[in-house]
Amino acid sequence: MQLCVLDVVDTMISGYSKELVIMSGTELDEPGKLKRAVIDASAGGVAGAISRMVTSPLDVIKIRFQVQLEPTATWALKDSQLKPKYNGLFRTTKDIFREEGLSGFWRGNVPALLMVVPYTSIQFAVLHKVKSFAAGSSKAENHAQLSPYLSYISGALAGCAATVGSYPFDLLRTVLASQGEPKVYPNMRSAFLSIVQTRGIKGLYAGLSPTLIEIIPYAGLQFGTYDTFKRWSMVYNKRYRSSSSSSTNPSDSLSSFQLFLCGLASGTVSKLVCHPLDVVKKRFQVEGLQRHPKYGARVELNAYKNMFDGLGQILRSEGWHGLYKGIVPSTIKAAPAGAVTFVAYELASDWFEANLT
């Protein structure tokens, strides 16, 4: 299994390197470009790991809601004869803690970290390359002058590249986080082998299509709105804090708290818009998972033909609120996750740039 994981990671890294070469139009053999790529990838990996560890409990709760076929909202239960396992954020938190202990909130965290570290590494590195290509310069001050539309496009492209490179780990994370007690799979190795044996290698990419369709607006909105909020904050600083306008680097004029608020707002906006597609993705990922009956109806294997069929079935059988299951913990998680990711990236990038020789 270790060899399989290493092979997957090695493939992702080699594929990522080729993408950088194609997008930049030149080989990454120039010291300055190689250093910049290492800084972006390292800072992105650190940011993703920190964000993931902090927000894991909310992510587990969100996944439990999303893969539950029965209603999750109290108001939706009035018209339903079904008795859901999970109902309400606080009640679900108490149930998970009582049945699985504190560690239950970090279930699936190992594959999640294996997913998020390469994901954010690829995402921020590709984002910088796309912005450098669009701006004709690798300097951050020139990136800040890009059109908002280019920021959205850059974020979308970076999100797609990162998703393809890290998706199997995302699927394993979802399966392990949603299985509950008793466990269907004792560890990541068991889940990996079972999925490959029953569904083939393509089973590790179940739900990739809705994920890519989701990630284009999600990552575009996340990075685009982040850059937009940063620009607004810079304008505010120049008007009301003239003492900071002498800085040569636009990001220097923003405090860590302002960067935190920008990340908070961008994470909230992007998650609210794209949540229904995330629900469909999670259903694809847990198809055929033989959870204990106490967790309610199971998502049968090949239950959905494609993304549109999944959206239609959920809408018909569960109503509009079915497409927004888990929206409360998802939004609560997305806001600090976005904030922590961007602040950690900015700080880690500055540290690597100052100390990497």
Side-chain angles (χ1 to χ4, degrees), residues 52-298:
R52 172 64 208 179
M53 290 296 294
V54 170
T55 61
S56 178
L58 288 167
D59 197 48
V60 170
I61 295 171
K62 179 201 74 169
I63 291 174
R64 297 291 175 91
F65 281 148
Q66 289 179 320
V67 301
Q68 179 173 279
L69 301 184
E70 296 80 12
T72 57
T74 302
W75 60 268
L77 290 172
K78 296 178 182 179
D79 301 323
S80 175
Q81 302 298 319
L82 301 174
K83 294 183 178 180
K85 168 65 176 174
Y86 299 117
N87 173 29
L89 179 62
F90 295 109
R91 179 181 169 184
T92 299
T93 302
K94 288 166 53 179
D95 287 346
I96 294 175
F97 181 73
R98 185 180 65 254
E99 296 174 0
E100 304 172 42
L102 191 62
S103 62
F105 293 103
W106 276 268
R107 181 155 291 177
N109 202 46
V110 172
L113 286 172
L114 290 175
M115 178 271 292
V116 78
V117 171
Y119 179 92
T120 49
S121 296
I122 295 171
Q123 188 176 45
F124 279 103
V126 173
L127 180 71
H128 187 274
K129 296 303 295 183
V130 174
K131 284 188 172 182
S132 297
F133 177 80
S137 170
S138 62
K139 296 181 179 179
E141 55 264 34
N142 293 327
H143 293 179
Q145 305 305 318
L146 284 175
S147 163
Y149 299 107
L150 288 175
S151 293
Y152 286 94
I153 294 172
S154 299
L157 291 174
C160 287
T163 297
V164 173
S166 61
Y167 191 79
F169 293 121
D170 184 22
L171 183 137
L172 290 170
R173 178 277 306 258
T174 299
V175 169
L176 293 177
S178 64
Q179 61 182 348
E181 289 286 350
K183 295 179 181 178
V184 179
Y185 305 117
N187 50 48
M188 185 176 70
R189 178 180 182 275
S190 174
F192 175 85
L193 293 176
S194 178
I195 291 171
V196 171
Q197 289 171 359
T198 58
R199 303 166 70 181
I201 293 297
K202 67 178 183 180
L204 295 172
Y205 290 89
L208 180 60
S209 296
T211 303
L212 288 175
I213 295 174
E214 173 206 6
I215 204 65
I216 291 174
Y218 179 78
L221 281 170
Q222 187 180 36
F223 285 97
T225 53
Y226 178 69
D227 285 346
T228 300
F229 288 132
K230 279 180 66 175
R231 289 191 186 93
W232 290 349
S233 299
M234 290 174 194
V235 171
Y236 173 85
N237 286 354
K238 288 179 181 178
R239 287 183 179 178
Y240 301 101
R241 301 177 186 177
S242 57
S243 60
S244 65
S245 61
S246 58
S247 174
T248 57
N249 188 342
S251 63
D252 290 342
S253 64
L254 297 181
S255 66
S256 295
F257 182 67
Q258 285 180 308
L259 292 173
F260 182 86
L261 290 179
C262 291
L264 196 74
S266 66
T268 302
V269 171
S270 55
K271 180 54 68 176
L272 286 173
V273 172
C274 302
H275 188 79
L277 291 172
D278 191 44
V279 172
V280 177
K281 178 185 81 170
K282 292 297 189 294
R283 297 291 178 88
F284 271 107
Q285 290 179 329
V286 299
E287 280 186 344
L289 178 64
Q290 299 298 306
R291 297 197 301 172
H292 192 279
K294 69 180 179 181
Y295 292 99
R298 299 165 178 166

